[in-house]
Amino acid sequence: MDSAALAERIEKLRDLLRNYEYHYYVLDQPLVSDNEFDTLMRELAGLEAMHPELISPDSPTQRVGGKARESFPTIRHRAVLLSLDNAFSLKDLQDFGQRIQRSEIESGYIAELKIDGLSIALVYENGVLVSAATRGDGINGEDVTANVRTIKSIPLKLKITLPRLEVRGEVYLPKREFVRINQEREERGDKIFANPRNAAAGSLRQLDPGITAKRSLAAFIYDIVFIEGDEISSQKAALELLTSCGLPVNRQYRACSGIDEVYSYCLECDENRHKLPYEIDGVVVKLDDIAARSLIGQTAKSPRWAIAYKFPAEEKETRLIQVELNVGRTGVISPTAVMEPVALAGTTVSRASLHNFDLLKEKDIRVGDLVLVHKAGDIIPEIIRSFPEKRDGSEQEILPPRHCPACGSNASQSSGEVALRCENINCPARLKESLSFFSSRDAMDMEGIGPALVEQLVDRQLVKNIGDLYAMDEELLSGLDRMGRKSAANILRSVENSKVKPLHRLITALGIRHVGSKTARLLCHQYRNINDFLHLDSAELTAIPEIGPIVAASITGFFSEEHNRDLIERLRQAGINMEEGAALQLSTALNGKTFVLTGTLESMSRIEAAEKLQSLGARVSGSVSQKTDYVVAGSDPGSKYDKAVQLGVTILSETELQDLLENA
Ligand code: IVH
């Protein structure tokens, strides 16, 4: 390709990709499959890697880049980012309307959803995103440009090129993403986010943009702060222009001629808010006519031409009847509140996780208490607080049990952990969870073995450990409730089929703490036979970039435990495949080559680089030795670089690495 053709192809790819991103993330109407999108993105990244001089910051490949920083520099906003006065009733809205009428202004209103996220100010120069800042104190905000660039619904380049456009909007976390992140945090023992707004703020204010990129933040833009190259006379026109620019604009706004119409819109939105995939906490009412805004002016804190109608808080009082204790797969005993049912945010709520006993004590919650409940992220029921002042003395404190509620063994709390655990590895409650997990889709994928069947198998003592699953026969199954010949045959077939699954499924199925299916796959790239796992040591594991000391200790701990080694032997006897097949290996181009990564890479994180190398059959190690084939050095490389020079190991630059990945 000559250089003109190359530049043309690159521009063409960028335009295509931008348009696909716009349809996917802004309009929610994908035009092409993920696969097609990825193929074009790879082609673009490949061309840019070979011709780094053609990389431009508004290219779709350039969303995640730059390294973690130590703090955020501040950006001074061109115009102070004001906040809004609140209205809580029709009366408050009417007062707002009357103040406007008194100024003899004749303009309608635009009512918009009030998105519950955090405010953001964006600057586009000649159509290209140049800066993004948080609200901060309204005068100065934090420069979060690198993080905002990772938000896919925010275009790096506008569809319309204006010399300058400064806008304001809201960054938020979709409800589902909030639930996902909290689940992950709870599993890891990290503190959970109280609501999507905190989670969005926590995700945006990450010093490492790579972390922000993994959080699926989204945004809506609702205001033009400054514009050069066009003029805007109304809020409606502003929203239309923002839309034409390709910015994400919430389309559910309504033009209202008077306050009564505004109020009925508010009631409608409150009624429907639970159906939205993101949280809203009210409606923002704005005077449509922009010229009229300057007539009516502003106070020190907020404009007089807009107001935020806040929905009533969705909290209800109810009574805590009982606390149920559940024992999970890893033996964690967790308390669940059973309450008198209440209607809350669109559903009836009667149960809520109490997370752990430390939290119960902290919140001073007792059985019989009147409690205040809400839904975190509009989804997960949670007790906010109790009302100690309303007690009559009959309430009972909830103490952590000393014994497992399922098997009576000792329950203990290891130091530094909030979780309380049953110490008995053969506890029937743990066993039920383990069996369900072992047979689940991501693990050994045994169709037909669900919680109901597991319950019977364990309660009747037909299955006492995982290995017994493979000893089941038709006779045993036919004795169970609701079990026909056909279902029994299907179950036995799916058990049989599970025997030939690749090793990473077995590693997942064993339910080692901190080892999900992703980590299991990663491990099985390197350790391809179960015997390799039996002799692992922590140092070797932590040499894999994704594996930290906690995960490594959990893995080595698991395989050194006698019970677990017995189980593996039993499974081996049952004829289960204990090797990773060739199927997982995508390519063998780098088979047997050992890589070490050092320094910061611009185009991808070290983890991504390691994953790509491993998918091509390479081994990625944490330390440089005689056996290392290549050291990839990003910017500011560490002592591994010096060691590589000393040992004469081949050193690759980031561009060379990209070439290698593209051409392998
Ligand atoms: S307009 C001067 N419109 O609510 C007017 N704000 O206190 C600036 N918000 O800080 C705000 N959705 O973070 C506006 N459609 C919307 C909004 C919205 C959410 C937030 C914004 C602001 C707060 C109001």
Side-chain angles (χ1 to χ4, degrees), residues 80-86 111-120 135 168-171 220-223 235 239 250 280-286 293 298 301-303 305-308 310:
V80 178
L81 294 195
L82 299 170
S83 61
L84 295 179
D85 254 357
N86 292 327
E112 299 167 11
L113 300 185
K114 186 172 183 307
I115 313 296
D116 196 8
L118 68 150
S119 217
I120 191 90
R135 178 172 184 277
R168 186 171 168 190
E170 201 83 353
V171 167
F220 285 121
I221 305 300
Y222 48 67
D223 196 22
Q235 175 65 7
L239 294 173
N250 192 293
I280 58 171
D281 59 346
V283 165
V284 179
V285 186
K286 302 173 184 176
R293 290 182 182 179
Q298 60 188 55
K301 277 211 225 115
S302 48
W305 47 263
I307 198 160
K310 291 290 230 15

